[in-house]
């Protein structure tokens, strides 16, 4: 069973994908709706009549639920992974969701979703389970092992949280791979195999830069840098602010008081941003509550001036990465572009300038789909790990740790024990002793970061070395070994050398779940995955059918239903009846086909509902849909952001 | 950091039980991965301790061994083999990181020979006047004054072109001194690699002093660079 396929997963802030190697080429596995991208959106279905735990919907259908039951939907959860309470609190200002009331400092924050509470890894686990199911449907066989990508600049806690999510979803995470490195693998497959490349990865919420040396199939990362809070969202916010300010000053309408209206203007801002990548100008045309229209043209030149400070923030990390690698721009042979934001011409220009590409007759590489390249690379790494594949047998990825590891020393300073950009796995051994006669415990505080003071770095964990034999102060000699594994996660072991006794270590991660907690959060029993596989596929197919049927059941109540032509209504009804009939049978494939057909028949209806919600939101009418609870800040990333260019 | 190499004790391969008395990463008989050997970083690459290394050869060996040892090659192996792959690769990476850098390599070899070395990771020793190399006392004193002035000026939002020029000149001078130290170190490498026991002892002493001086100078240069670039 463990010798099944290994899939590669890009668990993204906005969208997630699953891919695998088909022979010598990586391929994205589409979902049941035929789409390659699964929006990283999770919705809690309505409470079942007669009690019981509500089921969960993921992806496009969850996005739809955002209109009907926003208080039961969560998105962009990647921003909350591996973060502490105070960090989540400040991050949540940007989101329409809220923390559970009973969250205490020191535990992993839980988000209130309807009547239930979930930790960020649990939410991610639902997304992963969906991808797992998509792959299983595609192969017609169980999938239990995966490679998952993370931003290169993710710290230990964020990585651990991602691994936990995999385990909860019933996936053995064979490796966490850094996103820019994965992209390099995807590009490196069919390209000249010697040279130095830079990967510039500007996504929705994070920025990474990695510099790699390629030689005979070995991908050796030289340095990496980045910013986990820099991305397309920041650009959206700039456009949004302009629109809101102008609406206020020119029309006297303060939309900021109406969170759902803000979300709607935000969607317009995102549309404008996307248009400006291909057109010389984009227009805002928004109907306001007082009947006025806000009309505004944004020429590309104005847009570029506006976003320059945001783009400029990516320059520093790029320069630092080159310095750390001991390289100058002219020594970089190629630059690979990853992430949706690299479609912006000004971003490409900045990269061109930073790496002096044009004067050297070069261009940034954009051949692979920027939304898919990370998943494709994950599939390549999955193939390497599975072994015995001729396509990847010569390939090996040597990655680095993005942040220095240190121990808090006397006076709160940091003693660095593993430098950033060290090839992983990497280890360091340190010796500790006692300060008081008879002392049997020594506390160690491990931090991650580049700052001089421990308080300015990120607290990783506190270790208690226990069971030290009582001796005079300074006599015990405790050897502690710190090891950063190939996933970039820290492992610690200790030994008292004079007594030869292995000191007992109690690891208290500053952020994160205990093993037992993860165990208790495992989504369902996967023990008998194989024998039950066919049965499970059937149950899943029926559940999916159930979800869409109950949504369609409520459709005629919606005003959008009346906007459909009689023909369209008839098509929906026919598809609904067919699914309702097929659902009773035992043929999972037939149920899936009928589900897909109904999904397609209702597509225009879904669009109309989305539009209606947006219009209602701007007109300021009370709307059950986008709801009062949408964020009170203008910076919430919009879950309806289109994922692809038309 | 270092374990004593005890190569006299024969070790049996966990897999084929054939004994081998070298510290090795793979069983010479059945090629299976072995627990991390106790040898020093040089022995990981099959080298005797020496200072003048062929970096091209080192990289080639690093890649060759990585291909065989890396955890990616053991993703579906036995739990023991997985653990050893992780430990062996960490050792290989630590060794390569140390040996490919001339300064780290020199420091490592000196420690291996039992030399007492200054603190690696504290930048504080420059604040301690007793650590200032005697021939630089006067210049360091003046430089510290200028640095302080520069920081004050920066704080007040002023620019002082004269001071800027002075500091740039000082940086150039100290950069030159660093280069000189590196030259001297290379000279000592040769002495250590090729000399007899007495020559080695004296080279070690010289190198310990050179590394101290180098650490001091590079902290100073870093300070100036930071202040100039702020």
């Amino acid at each position: 069973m463990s010798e099944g396929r290994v899939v590669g997963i890009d668990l993204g802030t906005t969208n997630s994908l699953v891919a695998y190697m088909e022979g010598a080429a990586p391929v994205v596995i589409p979902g049941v709706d035929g789409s390659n991208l699964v929006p990283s959106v999770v919705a809690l279905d309505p409470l079942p009549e007669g009690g019981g735990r509500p089921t969960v919907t993921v992806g496009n259908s969850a996005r739809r639920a955002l209109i009907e039951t926003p208080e039961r939907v969560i998105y962009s959860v990647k921003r909350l992974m591996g973060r502490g309470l105070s960090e989540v609190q400040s991050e949540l200002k940007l989101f329409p969701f809220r923390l559970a009331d009973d969250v205490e400092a020191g535990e992993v924050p839980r988000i209130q979703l309807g009547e239930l509470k979930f930790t960020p890894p649990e939410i991610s686990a639902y997304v992963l389970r969906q991808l797992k199911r998509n792959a299983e449907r595609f192969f017609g066989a169980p999938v239990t092992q995966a490679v998952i990508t993370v931003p290169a600049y993710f710290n230990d806690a964020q990585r651990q949280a991602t691994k936990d999510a995999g385990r909860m979803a019933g996936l053995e995470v064979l490796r966490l791979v850094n996103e820019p490195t994965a992209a390099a693998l995807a590009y490196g497959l069919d390209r000249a195999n010697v040279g130095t490349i830079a990967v510039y990865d500007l996504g929705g919420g994070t920025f990474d830069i990695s510099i790699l040396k390629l030689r005979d199939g070995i991908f050796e990362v030289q340095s990496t840098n980045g910013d986990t809070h820099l991305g397309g969202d920041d650009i959206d916010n700039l456009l949004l602010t302009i629109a809101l300010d102008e609406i206020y000053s020119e029309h006297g309408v303060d939309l900021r008081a109406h969170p759902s209206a803000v979300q709607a203007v935000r969607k317009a801002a995102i549309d404008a941003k996307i248009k400006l990548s291909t057109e010389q100008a984009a227009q805002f045309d928004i109907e306001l509550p007082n009947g006025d229209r806000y009309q505004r043209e944004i020429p590309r030149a104005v847009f570029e001036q506006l976003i320059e400070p945001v783009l400029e923030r990516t320059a520093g990390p790029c320069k630092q990465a080159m310095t750390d690698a001991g390289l100058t721009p002219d020594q970089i042979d190629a630059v690979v572009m990853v992430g949706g934001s690299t479609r912006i011409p000004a971003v490409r220009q900045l990269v061109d300038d930073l790496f002096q590409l044009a004067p050297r007759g070069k261009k940034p590489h954009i051949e692979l789909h920027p939304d898919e390249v990370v998943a494709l690379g994950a599939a390549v790494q999955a193939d390497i790990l599975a072994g015995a594949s001729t396509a990847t047998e010569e390939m090996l990825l040597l990655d680095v740790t993005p942040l220095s590891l240190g121990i808090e020393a006397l006076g709160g300073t940091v003693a660095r024990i593993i430098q950033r950009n060290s090839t992983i796995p990497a280890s360091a051994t340190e010796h500790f002793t006692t300060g008081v006669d008879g002392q049997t415990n020594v506390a160690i505080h491990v931090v991650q970061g580049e700052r001089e003071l421990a308080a300015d770095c990120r607290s990783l964990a506190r270790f208690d070395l226990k069971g030290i034999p009582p001796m005079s102060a300074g006599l015990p000699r405790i050897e502690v070994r710190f090891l950063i594994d190939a996933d970039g996660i820290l492992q610690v072991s200790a030994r008292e050398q004079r007594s030869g006794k292995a000191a007992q270590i109690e690891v208290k991660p500053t952020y994160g779940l205990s093993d037992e907690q993860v165990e208790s959060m495992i989504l369902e029993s996967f023990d008998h995955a194989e024998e039950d596989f066919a049965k499970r596929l059937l149950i899943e197919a029926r559940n999916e059918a159930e979800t869409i049927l109950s949504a369609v059941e409520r459709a005629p109540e919606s005003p959008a239903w009346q906007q459909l032509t009689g023909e369209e209504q008839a098509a929906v009804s026919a598809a609904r009846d067919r699914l309702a009939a097929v659902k009773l049978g035992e043929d999972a494939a037939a149920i899936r086909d009928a589900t897909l057909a109904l999904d397609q028949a209702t597509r225009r209806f879904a669009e109309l509902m989305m539009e209606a919600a947006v219009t209602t939101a701007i007109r300021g009418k009370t709307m059950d849909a986008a709801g009062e609870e949408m964020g009170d800040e203008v910076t919430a990333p919009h879950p309806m952001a289109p994922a692809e260019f038309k | 950091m270092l374990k004593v190499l005890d190569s006299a004790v024969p070790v049996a391969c966990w897999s084929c039980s054939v004994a081998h008395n070298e510290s090795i990463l793979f069983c010479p008989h059945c090629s299976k991965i072995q627990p991390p050997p106790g040898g020093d970083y040089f022995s990981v690459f099959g080298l005797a301790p020496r200072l003048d290394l062929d970096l091209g050869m080192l990289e080639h060996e690093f890649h060759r061994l990585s291909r065989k040892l890396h955890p990616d090659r053991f993703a579906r192996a036995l739990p023991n083999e997985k653990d050893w792959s992780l430990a062996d690769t960490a050792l290989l990476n630590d060794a390569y990181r140390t040996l490919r850098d001339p300064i780290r390599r020199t420091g490592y070899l000196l420690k291996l020979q039992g030399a007492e070395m200054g603190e690696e990771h504290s930048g504080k020793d420059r604040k301690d006047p007793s650590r200032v190399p005697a021939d630089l006392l006067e210049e360091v004193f003046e430089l510290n004054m200028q640095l302080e002035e520069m920081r004050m000026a920066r704080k007040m939002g002023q620019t002082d072109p004269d001071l800027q020029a002075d500091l740039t000149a000082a940086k150039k001078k100290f950069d030159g001194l660093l280069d000189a130290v590196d030259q001297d170190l290379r000279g000592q490498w040769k002495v250590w690699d090729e000399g007899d026991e007495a020559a080695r002892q004296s080279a070690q002493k010289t190198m310990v002093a050179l590394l101290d001086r180098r650490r001091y100078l590079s902290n100073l240069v870093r300070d100036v660079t930071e202040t100039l670039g702020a």
Side-chain angles (χ1 to χ4, degrees):
Chain A
M1 173 179 142
S2 69
E3 297 302 309
R5 283 183 190 276
V6 187
V7 293
I9 290 176
D10 172 4
L11 182 62
T13 308
T14 319
N15 294 296
S16 298
L17 302 88
V18 57
Y20 80 110
M21 278 293 262
E22 189 176 75
V27 182
V28 178
I29 298 172
V32 70
D33 59 356
S35 155
N36 278 356
L37 302 180
V38 173
S40 306
V41 183
V42 172
L44 193 63
D45 297 331
L47 260 182
E49 280 168 45
R53 194 181 161 93
T55 51
V56 163
T57 308
V58 176
N60 276 312
S61 32
R63 217 155 59 159
R64 220 165 288 153
L66 195 68
I67 307 285
E68 292 181 4
T69 53
E71 75 289 348
R72 305 176 76 85
V73 185
I74 182 165
Y75 56 89
S76 290
V77 76
K78 189 174 180 178
R79 286 167 164 259
L80 309 179
M81 292 286 274
R83 297 190 169 260
L85 182 60
S86 62
E87 291 168 306
V88 168
Q89 271 164 341
S90 64
E91 191 81 27
L92 276 189
K93 287 186 189 139
L94 317 180
F95 292 98
F97 1 103
R98 60 186 176 85
L99 276 173
D101 295 330
D102 57 349
V103 172
E104 281 170 37
E107 61 179 17
V108 175
R110 277 164 297 142
I111 311 295
Q112 188 77 44
L113 208 57
E115 52 285 326
L116 298 178
K117 298 161 190 167
F118 297 92
T119 59
E122 286 174 281
I123 301 289
S124 291
Y126 283 114
V127 178
L128 289 172
R129 186 179 63 172
Q130 184 62 46
L131 297 170
K132 177 182 188 303
R133 284 177 178 173
N134 288 352
E136 289 175 338
R137 213 180 271 127
F138 186 84
F139 296 131
V143 171
T144 56
Q145 294 181 316
V147 166
I148 302 179
T149 61
V150 291
Y153 224 53
F154 250 21
N155 64 35
D156 185 271
Q158 292 168 305
R159 288 168 190 271
Q160 189 60 57
T162 306
K163 254 189 128 167
D164 290 344
R167 202 165 129 210
M168 291 173 197
L171 286 169
E172 184 190 348
V173 182
L174 291 187
R175 180 76 70 248
L176 295 177
V177 184
N178 293 330
E179 287 159 11
T181 327
L185 281 179
Y187 265 95
L189 259 186
D190 53 348
R191 239 152 264 277
N193 56 1
V194 175
T196 301
I197 66 165
V199 182
Y200 181 100
D201 181 356
L202 187 61
T206 59
F207 170 66
D208 280 331
I209 176 82
S210 287
I211 296 177
L212 299 93
K213 216 156 87 179
L214 271 62
R215 190 169 171 176
D216 304 329
I218 295 210
F219 290 63
E220 192 178 349
V221 180
Q222 305 291 302
S223 65
T224 192
N225 211 295
D227 187 333
T228 49
H229 278 90
L230 178 60
D233 294 346
D234 297 286
I235 292 168
D236 305 341
N237 291 339
L238 291 171
L239 284 174
L240 178 63
T241 306
I242 289 194
L244 294 177
D245 285 352
E246 290 185 354
I247 288 171
Y248 183 62
S249 61
E250 290 166 21
H251 301 278
V253 180
D254 186 7
L255 285 185
R256 285 199 170 88
H258 306 281
S260 51
V262 169
Q263 291 291 335
V265 178
R266 183 176 190 89
K267 182 166 166 25
I270 292 169
D271 290 344
K273 171 184 81 172
I274 289 171
K275 197 173 171 200
L276 281 164
S277 285
T278 49
E279 311 282 324
Q280 286 305 319
Q283 293 77 26
F284 276 129
D285 186 354
I286 296 167
E287 202 181 321
L288 301 174
N290 63 2
D292 285 4
R293 288 192 92 84
Y294 167 65
Q295 288 174 311
R296 165 76 141 97
E297 184 170 272
I298 310 148
R300 191 191 276 182
V302 171
F303 174 68
E304 290 181 348
Q305 211 176 354
L306 182 73
I307 64 174
E308 201 194 328
V310 172
L311 304 194
E312 200 48 48
R313 280 173 61 201
T314 67
C318 290
K319 288 177 185 157
Q320 186 63 54
M322 282 190 272
T323 306
D324 286 355
L327 295 169
T328 50
D330 59 294
Q331 291 173 300
I332 309 281
D333 299 314
V335 182
V336 166
M337 305 289 265
V338 185
S341 304
T342 59
R343 292 189 175 99
I344 298 172
V347 172
R348 293 183 180 169
Q349 188 57 51
L350 177 95
V351 168
D352 202 305
D353 293 344
L354 268 174
F355 297 96
Q356 298 165 11
L357 295 177
R360 296 189 284 143
K362 293 174 188 284
K363 278 183 177 169
H365 285 282
I366 50 171
E367 295 89 341
L368 293 180
H369 199 307
D371 289 328
E372 294 185 356
V373 59
V374 169
L376 298 176
V380 174
Q381 177 68 6
D383 200 54
I384 293 173
L385 293 177
S389 152
T390 48
T392 57
E393 68 184 350
E394 289 300 311
M395 295 174 78
L396 179 66
L397 177 57
L398 302 176
D399 218 321
V400 300
T401 178
L403 300 160
S404 298
L405 188 77
I407 307 172
E408 180 170 350
L410 277 178
T413 58
V414 176
R416 263 180 218 132
I417 55 174
I418 297 178
Q419 300 285 343
R420 71 162 183 265
N421 295 324
S422 294
T423 304
I424 51 173
S427 71
T429 306
E430 293 283 315
H431 294 98
F432 297 87
T433 189
T434 51
V436 180
D437 287 348
Q439 186 180 341
T440 55
N441 279 15
V442 172
I444 299 169
H445 184 203
V446 187
V447 299
Q448 218 171 11
E450 312 308 321
R451 303 284 294 275
E452 297 288 328
L453 292 178
D456 296 329
C457 288
R458 172 146 183 122
S459 174
L460 217 161
R462 288 175 193 276
F463 302 110
D464 249 342
L465 298 176
K466 290 185 172 174
I468 299 165
M471 286 184 239
S472 306
L475 202 57
R477 191 175 153 82
I478 306 130
E479 185 183 82
V480 182
R481 185 171 150 82
F482 300 86
L483 188 146
I484 299 178
D485 69 15
D487 294 329
I489 293 175
L490 178 67
Q491 303 180 0
V492 186
S493 56
R495 205 162 53 90
E496 203 292 304
Q497 288 186 308
R498 288 189 206 286
S499 64
K501 229 175 103 178
Q504 182 196 344
I505 315 179
E506 193 168 292
V507 184
K508 267 179 274 174
T510 313
Y511 306 90
L513 299 163
S514 68
D515 250 22
E516 294 73 30
Q517 282 174 307
V518 173
E519 205 66 47
S520 73
M521 289 172 183
I522 287 179
L523 295 183
E524 47 204 58
S525 167
F526 296 92
D527 297 342
H528 19 73
E530 199 137 29
E531 55 265 42
D532 288 353
F533 187 67
K535 211 196 280 172
R536 216 173 86 214
L537 275 187
L538 181 62
I539 293 170
E540 280 169 21
R542 280 186 182 152
N543 284 343
E544 277 159 16
E546 204 58 66
T547 305
I548 191 163
L549 279 174
S550 75
V552 171
E553 214 58 62
R554 296 191 299 274
E557 300 158 23
S558 157
W561 179 255
Q562 304 311 323
Q563 287 175 258
L564 293 180
T565 64
E567 242 170 71
E568 285 168 330
Q569 291 183 355
V572 172
S573 302
R576 181 197 59 205
D577 294 344
R578 195 170 335 122
L579 177 59
V582 172
K583 195 186 70 150
L584 303 172
E586 300 285 319
D587 185 348
I591 299 175
R592 273 197 323 269
D593 289 346
T595 305
L596 184 56
L598 180 56
D599 186 75
Q600 248 134 28
T602 54
R603 198 149 280 191
R604 199 173 109 74
F605 171 65
E607 277 164 24
L608 286 170
M609 272 184 48
M610 202 76 101
E611 271 169 39
V614 167
T615 316
T616 321
I618 296 200
R619 291 222 184 100
K621 287 180 192 158
T622 327
M623 185 180 69
D624 295 345
E628 304 317 291
E629 282 136 70
M630 294 292 258
D632 54 358
E633 293 269 335
V634 295
T635 42
H638 199 287
M640 288 175 253
E644 283 170 287
F645 277 154
K646 292 269 157 62
Chain B
M1 195 105 213
L2 304 168
K3 288 174 192 158
V4 180
L5 171 60
D6 196 355
S7 59
V9 182
V11 187
C13 170
W14 63 274
S15 179
C16 69
S17 304
V18 170
H20 49 79
N21 58 3
E22 275 174 278
S23 62
I24 47 159
L25 299 162
F26 302 97
C27 173
H29 187 251
C30 71
S31 306
K32 289 272 188 189
I33 192 166
Q34 302 295 312
D40 61 44
Y41 287 165
F42 291 96
S43 72
V44 172
F45 291 94
L47 296 167
R50 60 177 289 128
L51 287 165
D52 197 5
L53 288 185
D54 176 349
L55 291 182
M57 184 283 292
L58 198 70
E59 186 188 34
H60 186 265
E61 268 305 283
F62 172 63
H63 285 168
R64 189 184 69 82
L65 289 168
S66 291
R67 277 186 205 278
K68 295 171 78 173
L69 289 174
H70 197 275
D72 283 5
R73 297 280 184 252
F74 293 85
R76 288 172 159 182
L78 300 170
N80 268 350
E81 290 180 285
K82 274 189 192 180
D83 289 349
W84 295 332
S85 148
L86 178 60
D88 285 359
T89 308
L91 174 67
L92 172 67
N93 288 340
D94 297 344
Y96 182 55
R97 188 164 50 250
T98 304
L99 296 190
R100 76 172 163 184
D101 181 280
I103 303 307
R104 281 193 198 150
R105 174 166 75 237
T106 309
Y108 175 77
L109 181 131
L110 290 174
K111 269 192 192 165
L112 213 54
Q113 303 301 320
E116 282 289 319
M117 303 289 291
E119 262 301 294
E120 283 291 344
H121 36 54
S122 91
K124 285 193 291 292
D125 55 1
R126 66 182 181 277
K127 302 259 155 62
D128 176 0
S130 70
R131 311 257 337 195
V132 182
D135 60 316
L136 298 176
L137 255 177
E138 214 165 301
E139 275 160 291
V140 167
F141 182 74
E142 195 185 332
L143 182 70
N144 277 333
M145 298 268 287
Q146 288 172 329
L147 282 173
E148 203 44 48
E149 251 180 87
M150 188 76 175
R151 288 190 194 110
M152 287 300 284
R154 279 275 154 74
K155 227 178 235 170
M156 312 292 286
Q158 295 159 348
T159 49
D160 186 337
D162 288 348
L163 198 54
Q164 181 97 16
D166 284 350
L167 280 173
T168 310
K171 177 173 160 8
K172 210 172 160 197
K173 182 189 157 75
F174 286 107
D175 273 335
L177 288 173
L178 261 181
D179 283 346
V181 171
D182 289 349
Q183 282 297 325
D184 290 352
L185 267 177
R186 274 167 212 281
Q188 294 300 317
W189 285 1
K190 214 173 151 52
V191 176
W192 197 90
D193 285 352
E194 292 165 13
D196 57 16
E197 192 49 38
R200 283 192 166 191
Q201 289 296 337
S202 116
Q204 276 168 218
K205 246 180 149 164
T206 313
M207 285 191 285
V208 168
L210 282 170
L211 282 188
D212 267 351
R213 183 180 173 85
R214 192 184 192 285
R215 191 160 37 247
Y216 187 85
L217 284 170
S218 69
N219 278 336
L220 214 56
V221 168
R222 194 190 60 191
D223 255 18
V224 178
T225 311
E226 271 172 14
T227 309
L228 279 172

